[in-house]
């Protein structure tokens, strides 16, 4: 029996088949690719952004409260102005303007920058001791809020919140215990 070779047929896909498959894949990919959007998407603020904005507003509000107490009780000004300056720096560190209540007027009316905000001017107790106690309570409350927020924000903001909360606790001490 003579040995015959099998007919010569390629064992793999033909060149035309490969080219057709590649062209088909290219068309499919081209059809399924998203078109560039001309509409800009609005990014919703993250929890960290909202916490930072709230911290800035809270510090500005506290600065306005200090300014109101300084206006109502001028003898307390030397004691309160350095603390208020720190609160303004805290507001700026959080991205706020730090201008709320920046210039207490002698007449006791809110400043132009404070009146630009819709919030009413803080009421100040008639007694210096009560005014200081009110500021200390506000500092302590804000420090507690910031301490609780530490668990919900990323590292750098958490460190800033912790630092400002510690400063607020120190301010509360200086406003109450430091007076004795």
């Amino acid at each position: 029996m003579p040995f015959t070779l099998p007919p010569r047929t390629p064992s793999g896909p033909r060149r035309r088949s490969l080219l057709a498959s590649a062209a088909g894949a290219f068309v499919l990919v081209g059809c399924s690719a998203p078109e560039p959007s001309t509409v800009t998407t609005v990014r919703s603020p993250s929890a960290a952004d909202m916490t930072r904005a709230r911290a800035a507003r809270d510090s500005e509000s506290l600065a306005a409260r200090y300014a109101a107490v300084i206006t109502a009780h001028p003898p307390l000004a030397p004691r309160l102005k350095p603390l208020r300056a720190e609160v303004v720096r805290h507001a700026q560190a959080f991205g706020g303007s730090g201008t709320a209540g920046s210039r207490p007027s002698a007449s006791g009316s809110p400043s132009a920058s404070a009146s630009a905000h819709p919030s009413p001017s803080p009421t100040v107790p008639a007694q210096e001791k009560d005014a200081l106690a009110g500021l200390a309570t506000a500092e302590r409350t804000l420090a507690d809020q910031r301490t609780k927020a530490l668990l919900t924000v990323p590292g750098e903001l958490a460190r800033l919140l912790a630092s400002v909360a510690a400063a607020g606790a120190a301010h509360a001490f200086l406003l109450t215990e430091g007076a004795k």
Side-chain angles (χ1 to χ4, degrees):
M1 181 129 122
F3 181 72
T4 59
L5 291 173
R8 185 136 170 111
T9 58
S11 61
R14 293 186 163 167
R15 235 183 284 177
R16 277 187 238 157
S17 301
L18 287 175
L19 289 175
S21 297
F26 180 72
V27 169
L28 286 176
V29 171
C31 290
S32 65
E35 292 185 25
S37 175
T38 58
V39 178
T40 57
T41 57
V42 177
R43 183 178 70 96
S44 62
S46 68
D49 292 340
M50 292 187 313
T51 301
R52 183 181 294 274
R54 179 178 178 190
R57 282 191 312 270
D58 289 346
S59 289
E60 288 174 344
S61 176
L62 186 58
R65 190 168 183 163
Y66 269 99
V69 171
I70 291 169
T71 300
H73 301 288
L76 294 176
R79 182 175 173 188
L80 297 181
K81 281 185 178 181
L83 299 177
R84 186 189 170 286
E86 286 295 314
V87 171
V88 168
R89 281 192 282 279
H90 296 160
Q92 292 168 340
F94 287 119
S97 64
T99 60
S102 61
R103 293 179 304 252
S105 61
S107 65
S109 64
S111 67
S113 61
S115 63
H117 300 302
S119 62
S121 61
T123 57
V124 178
Q127 297 295 318
E128 288 181 2
K129 182 179 178 181
D130 295 336
L132 291 174
L135 283 173
T137 300
E139 287 275 16
R140 208 173 293 114
T141 301
L142 197 50
D144 290 344
Q145 288 174 357
R146 289 174 174 164
T147 302
K148 288 176 187 173
L150 289 174
L151 300 175
T152 63
V153 296
E156 189 62 32
L157 181 56
R159 284 187 285 278
L160 179 60
L161 279 172
S163 176
V164 173
H171 290 182
F173 174 78
L174 292 172
L175 290 166
T176 56
E177 302 299 320
K180 293 180 181 179

